[in-house]
Amino acid sequence: EVSLDVVFEDTEAPVFTTTPPDLTLICFDLLLPIEILDATDNCAVDASISGTETGSANLCDGGTITRLWEHMDDCGNMVSHTQNITIDPLEAPDFVNPPASVTLTCADPIPPAIDLMYTNSGSGACLVEGMVSPTVDGLFDVCGSTITYTWDFTDACGNTIQHIQTIDIEPAALAA
């Protein structure tokens, strides 16, 4: 009688069916919840693996999030995947079509002090937009003067923008 001992040894690690790539996000609002990854193995039942998340990020400063998924099969073979997510800080807004400075004669009409629109062209919670009224400094004088319109805006993250329109009014011509 011949006896034969057969030993099966599994040295093949499990495999994740898909893995999320490293990302750079332009807005904290675009960060999706951590996903569950599926793993297959040559000698075990397929598994669904929850990951862990470390790091931090916020709307104003951005940040870095690291996600890690690990799975060990019944024979001690391990698979892991790390996803690094870089989140950019909130972009500062800009004024839309701000008026240029001008030089006028005393007979020209003075441009009105209009409200200016600002936007950062973001989306969701990262959208910063609205209208702002100017402060006005100076008065019309036929002898020549300067009127200044100043638009200032600071968003919730402390990003400040300013636009200044200077209106120079030339003095009236002297009578001959």
Side-chain angles (χ1 to χ4, degrees):
E1 177 173 320
V2 176
S3 102
L4 180 62
D5 289 331
V6 178
V7 175
F8 293 99
E9 186 175 334
D10 177 13
T11 58
E12 189 174 321
V15 176
F16 288 119
T17 56
T18 60
T19 53
D22 289 347
L23 298 172
T24 297
L25 302 176
I26 59 170
C27 177
F28 178 78
D29 196 40
L30 300 175
L31 181 65
L32 298 175
I34 190 168
E35 58 190 288
I36 295 174
L37 299 185
D38 293 325
T40 60
D41 190 59
N42 63 327
C43 289
V45 177
D46 292 351
S48 294
I49 310 305
S50 297
T52 58
E53 189 172 88
T54 57
S56 64
N58 64 52
L59 183 65
C60 293
D61 300 323
T64 302
I65 304 287
T66 301
R67 293 175 171 173
L68 174 65
W69 293 265
E70 294 181 314
H71 175 61
M72 184 180 298
D73 69 11
D74 295 338
C75 296
N77 300 306
M78 174 74 88
V79 63
S80 68
H81 176 71
T82 302
Q83 179 189 35
N84 296 301
I85 303 170
T86 301
I87 302 168
D88 292 337
L90 181 72
E91 286 198 31
D94 288 313
F95 287 114
V96 178
N97 298 320
S101 293
V102 293
T103 299
L104 305 173
T105 67
C106 64
D108 292 328
I110 297 173
I114 61 169
D115 290 348
L116 278 185
M117 181 180 180
Y118 58 86
T119 184
N120 70 348
S121 300
S123 63
C126 295
L127 174 63
V128 176
E129 70 178 8
M131 302 288 282
V132 64
S133 299
T135 58
V136 179
D137 184 34
L139 298 171
F140 174 78
D141 184 336
V142 293
C143 295
S145 61
T146 299
I147 299 172
T148 304
Y149 298 152
T150 304
W151 293 266
D152 288 299
F153 174 74
T154 302
D155 68 18
C157 294
N159 297 311
T160 298
I161 57 174
Q162 181 182 69
H163 178 71
I164 298 172
Q165 179 188 28
T166 302
I167 302 165
D168 288 318
I169 303 163
E170 295 179 335
L174 297 173

